[in-house]
Amino acid sequence: MQPIYIVLILIAIIALGEVLSLSSRAKIPTLLVVVAVTFLLLQTGILPESYIEASTLVAVGGVLVPVLIVHLGTMIPLSVIKSQYKAVIITLIGLVISVALMLSLITLLFDYSTAVAGAGPLTGGIIAYIVTAEGLTEAGFTAIAAIPVVVFALQNLVGMPLTSTLLSKYAVSIRDDLSSRDSSNGEGDSDGSALLGANSQKKLLIPEKFLSSNFILLFMLFIGGALATWLGAVTGINYSLWSLAIGVAGAALRIYPDRALDRSNSSGFAMVALIVVVVSSLVGITFEQVVASLVAVITIILIGTTGLVLGGIIGGKIFKWKSTKAIPVVLTAMYGFPGDYLIVEEVSRSVGRTKEEEKRIMDELVAPMLIGGFTSVTVGSIVIASVLISTL
């Protein structure tokens, strides 16, 4: 079959996932649909395993991984991190406790490699999963290759409903206290969209006229990705950590604009290629392997989620946040953006009785939730996955 037809099939599966996710307001995760449908097609032989590689998107996605991580590093302005330091620290506490519990209890119940296979995906997003999957393959742990993909696909089903329930309880307290509280006392920014482009007005070292070119922006990102790959080979430190550091430092030094890949109008295609890399990890995984991994997967999700919740409770105690606010901020590690934003939007609309109440709930919650997700999915999980994989 011609590669264009294979790519069409794969993008159709992704589009189906997006339709179901948007229709359910992210209650049905896109990647869960993509993984489930693709795995079913591969197991039934409707989609031959050779077709995935023949699509050529696997190679493209592999090249784009370090570039995309550099882009992720440009997404969190340091000024925003400073203003939301409580959300950042609470999230990090949750990640540390969750990983510590998984490494101790999962190792005790199963083995260390199983703990590593689940820790990265559970504490973050697609990049952490890819780093984990690649590391397991390179280290020869093919027998547990199904664990990270199943954890990655199912964790949303636990994290999002739990977050929605807790945030709804906290939103009721905001609504009830509205008359006696000044809106300036909330921890959140007045507009969550400001977090997504908080650094867009800063003056960059490279003249704006050059940065208006998509090709120059892509060239700059590929320089960062290539440099990270070279540093990874020279130092032995995973390229993903170098990519993240280059993105953060480049944005802080005003070399990269914020959300650089988005500005180059290339993020959509990059994400498609990246999802195909995830899909390619299903090749060679059998139904029997998935079934055999379910006990470990369920245990990892339960223990990992417990660790995140404990971290939220402890962090909330430290900064005098209610647990119904602190725990959801940590749980963003299990789904990230846009799930975190959609949950806040839905909670504010369902709990608020007036437009004023809706706005106050949104203003209070959107900033820490977005920063919690960025901290865990964009930074923390990549560091965790990279470090743990290097220990195998």
Side-chain angles (χ1 to χ4, degrees), residues 9 19 36 80 82 107 131 158 167-168 276 293 322 351-352 378 389:
I9 294 171
V19 169
V80 174
K82 291 177 183 178
T107 300
V131 170
V158 176
L167 273 190
S168 294
V276 174
S293 72
K322 291 183 178 179
V351 175
T378 307
I389 280 297

Side-chain angles (χ1 to χ4, degrees), residues 118-138:
L122 189 116
T123 56
I126 190 170
I127 298 296
Y129 161 73
I130 290 175
V131 170
T132 301
E134 288 179 348
L136 289 175
T137 301
E138 291 174 3

Side-chain angles (χ1 to χ4, degrees), residues 280-303:
S280 70
S281 66
L282 296 172
V283 173
I285 295 178
T286 65
F287 182 75
E288 289 74 18
Q289 282 181 296
V290 171
V291 173
S293 72
L294 284 179
V295 174
V297 167
I298 293 171
T299 307
I300 288 168
I301 291 176
L302 288 177
I303 292 176

Side-chain angles (χ1 to χ4, degrees), residues 114-167:
T114 299
V116 171
L122 189 116
T123 56
I126 190 170
I127 298 296
Y129 161 73
I130 290 175
V131 170
T132 301
E134 288 179 348
L136 289 175
T137 301
E138 291 174 3
F141 290 96
T142 55
I144 57 173
I147 290 177
V149 71
V150 180
V151 169
F152 183 57
L154 297 182
Q155 63 184 2
N156 297 270
L157 301 180
V158 176
M160 296 185 76
L162 184 55
T163 298
S164 182
T165 300
L166 293 171
L167 273 190

